[in-house]
Amino acid sequence: MNEIICPHCNKAFKIDEAGFADIVRQVRDHQFEHELKTRLALADREKESAVKLAEAQVRQTLQENLAKKDREISELKAQSEVALAEKINQKEAEILKLKSFIDNVEIQKQLAVNEAVQKIEKERDALTHELRTKDLEKQNLESSLKQHYNTELQNKEAIIKYKDDEIARVRDMKLKLSTKMLGESLEQHCEIEFNKLRATAFQKAYFEKDNDARSGSKGDYIYKEFDDAGNEIISIMFEMKNECDETATKKRNDDFLKELDKDRNEKKCEYAVLVSCLEAESEYYNSGIVDVSHRYDKMYVVRPQFFIPIITLLRNAAMNSLQYKAELALVRSQNIDITHFEDKMNKFKEGFARNYDLASRKFKDAIDGIDKTIIQLQKTKEALLSSENNLRLANQKTEDLTIKKLTHNNPTMKAKFDELKENPSENPNLF
């Protein structure tokens, strides 16, 4: 028997071991359940605190990154707007300058027209006077021409005979030359003509043979010229063609235009010129510089005597457009700068997206860790509840254990207990 004092009335009362054990078990279960609830509540609060802390850290990091990138974007926009405003002001000043120049040109043009009208009126009066004089001179000239014609007529046969002899001599010389020698003689002629003027008119020009045949074909000569800034002024691909008068199969200039256009494009030349002695009787090609751009872009056919003039004409035209080429190069460089700005913006977007993705993954990993902790605590709770059930079953088995059950089918133990019942004074606490 155990003596217990009531905490309310301070009275002592006795209780057997089974009752005492039941009270102890109730107190222990109550404390265990209270402690378990306390720990679970603490775990829930720690979980919520961890989640809120993680969310706050991620939110703060994202806000700092966004604020930093916003500042960078604002700085870039401010720089771009300042540069654009400067360019607009510059262009407006140029427009005003051009308008003033146009007005001055109009005034000068009107003055020039008035002066020209007055001059023409004076010339008209002078021409009227001269016309009368010319009539008299015409009569004198007609008589003089008749006399000169008679003289020329007398020398005609001698001139024709000399021309026929010269043609026969040239034909004989060309018969003795091979096709390659004919072509080389024309190339040498053009090169010599160019070198005569290289030191004076073409000091910064490049004029050399085209020796690059990697594409399967090549032209004869390439002419290029650059300004002091390195901008190309003009580039020309030349092809020289000649043939013998007695050649059975006559070549035509059109047979070489397609290949010349191909060589021009492959060598990235602006113009193409065919210097040709072919079709010697053609009035079309003998008239001077022939423009065949209607068939192939920026292509001309000339006779050897127009070799230097075609270079001069194309060069002068290119010099007039040199200013526009320089402005075009400047615009292209500005477009490249804008492209670089867009590339930087795209790189920033990609970096920001990557950082956001990493932060999202870290946040998800933290949430997964918290979920795993909750699952582990749930398993711990289930294990504790299971141990409580086992303790309850063990206690029930202890309560069911009696002396009668212990001595059942055990004569020796039954005899011992009977002996103790007969002499209770030997062990008074057993009963």
Side-chain angles (χ1 to χ4, degrees), residues 33-49:
E33 185 176 358
H34 180 267
E35 184 177 357
L36 181 61
K37 289 181 180 180
T38 302
R39 291 187 179 181
L40 288 176
L42 180 61
D44 290 337
R45 287 193 298 273
E46 290 178 352
K47 173 187 173 182
E48 292 178 358
S49 300

Side-chain angles (χ1 to χ4, degrees), residues 278-327:
L278 307 180
E279 302 184 58
E281 304 299 328
S282 174
E283 294 182 2
Y284 178 63
Y285 292 110
N286 291 336
S287 61
I289 298 173
V290 179
D291 186 356
V292 292
S293 299
H294 60 281
R295 297 187 58 188
Y296 298 98
D297 188 32
K298 296 186 177 182
M299 185 177 292
Y300 300 88
V301 180
V302 299
R303 295 303 187 192
Q305 62 268 28
F306 294 104
F307 171 68
I308 295 298
I310 187 64
I311 295 178
T312 305
L313 289 173
L314 295 178
R315 179 171 176 261
N316 292 338
M319 291 295 290
N320 293 332
S321 63
L322 181 61
Q323 180 181 358
Y324 302 105
K325 290 184 178 179
E327 292 180 358

Side-chain angles (χ1 to χ4, degrees), residues 140-286:
N140 296 328
L141 182 61
E142 286 178 354
S143 61
S144 175
L145 286 175
K146 287 179 180 180
Q147 185 179 358
H148 180 71
Y149 176 74
N150 291 328
T151 304
E152 290 290 333
L153 189 61
Q154 292 174 0
N155 298 327
K156 181 178 179 182
E157 292 181 359
I159 295 172
I160 291 173
K161 185 177 181 300
Y162 174 77
K163 181 179 179 182
D164 292 339
D165 293 340
E166 185 66 20
I167 290 172
R169 185 185 67 79
V170 172
R171 286 181 178 177
D172 183 63
M173 182 188 68
K174 288 187 175 181
L175 284 173
K176 295 177 181 178
L177 294 174
S178 65
T179 303
K180 182 178 180 182
M181 291 176 67
L182 287 170
E184 289 179 351
S185 66
L186 180 57
E187 291 176 9
Q188 291 171 1
H189 165 75
C190 294
E191 187 171 0
I192 291 170
E193 291 297 317
F194 183 84
N195 288 332
K196 287 180 182 178
L197 301 173
R198 184 191 289 268
T200 56
F202 305 106
Q203 296 179 359
K204 298 181 180 180
Y206 168 90
F207 182 74
E208 300 293 340
K209 287 186 68 66
D210 181 17
N211 297 319
D212 186 3
R214 289 177 294 179
S215 61
S217 64
K218 62 185 182 67
D220 289 332
Y221 282 88
I222 293 178
Y223 173 89
K224 288 186 177 182
E225 190 169 353
F226 300 87
D227 63 2
D228 296 334
N231 297 317
E232 182 180 289
I233 300 174
I234 188 174
S235 58
I236 308 173
M237 170 66 70
F238 282 100
E239 183 76 16
M240 286 74 172
K241 290 299 175 183
N242 195 3
E243 69 178 357
C244 178
D245 293 337
E246 302 299 329
T247 304
T249 305
K250 297 291 184 179
K251 294 290 186 179
R252 301 172 64 250
N253 291 319
D254 292 347
D255 298 336
F256 302 97
L257 299 182
K258 182 177 181 181
E259 189 69 19
L260 177 58
D261 184 66
K262 176 185 175 185
D263 294 335
R264 178 184 74 86
N265 290 323
E266 289 178 350
K267 303 304 167 57
K268 301 186 183 304
C269 293
E270 185 176 0
Y271 295 95
V273 176
L274 175 63
V275 183
S276 171
C277 293
L278 307 180
E279 302 184 58
E281 304 299 328
S282 174
E283 294 182 2
Y284 178 63
Y285 292 110
N286 291 336

